[in-house]
Amino acid sequence: MAEWIMAALILLGGFFCFVAGFGVLRLPDVLMRMHASTKAGTLGSGLILVAVAIYFGDLATITRAVAAILFLLITAPVAAHMIGRAAFRVGVPLWKTHIEDGAEEKLRR
């Protein structure tokens, strides 16, 4: 039964990592690409790390996998926020939508 769970976790993790890579290639602007890479990439990596922890099953590996997952969950949103903020402030062109929130005037000060 553990093999089936590990296989499912690895396949799901691989799928989400593929979706993250595909999103980076296909989405129109830096903010959307950043969102795809951080959300789907973190989920995919986390699922694969859970499968690794189940496979090896010893305390050292489980501890390292949990630490790596926590590190990803803590650092990915902060890094994405900083990259998005820097891209916005530098003036990287964004995808034009019909909804404008006026953030440019507030953040350019």
Side-chain angles (χ1 to χ4, degrees), residues 23-109:
V24 169
L25 287 175
R26 297 294 299 164
L27 290 173
D29 70 353
V30 68
L31 297 178
M32 290 184 195
R33 290 178 187 146
M34 175 193 59
H35 180 77
S37 67
T38 56
K39 302 298 181 196
T42 302
L43 179 61
S45 301
L47 289 172
I48 292 171
L49 285 168
V50 168
V52 167
I54 291 172
Y55 178 75
F56 288 105
D58 61 339
L59 185 61
T61 305
I62 293 171
T63 305
R64 288 182 183 139
V66 169
I69 292 169
L70 289 175
F71 181 76
L72 283 171
L73 290 174
I74 291 170
T75 58
V78 174
H81 176 76
M82 297 285 63
I83 291 169
R85 185 175 179 188
F88 186 78
R89 287 189 177 224
V90 168
V92 174
L94 300 177
W95 184 52
K96 293 295 180 190
T97 61
H98 296 291
I99 300 171
E100 299 293 329
D101 62 353
E104 289 185 33
E105 294 81 24
K106 294 177 188 173
L107 291 177
R108 298 253 183 233
R109 295 181 208 171

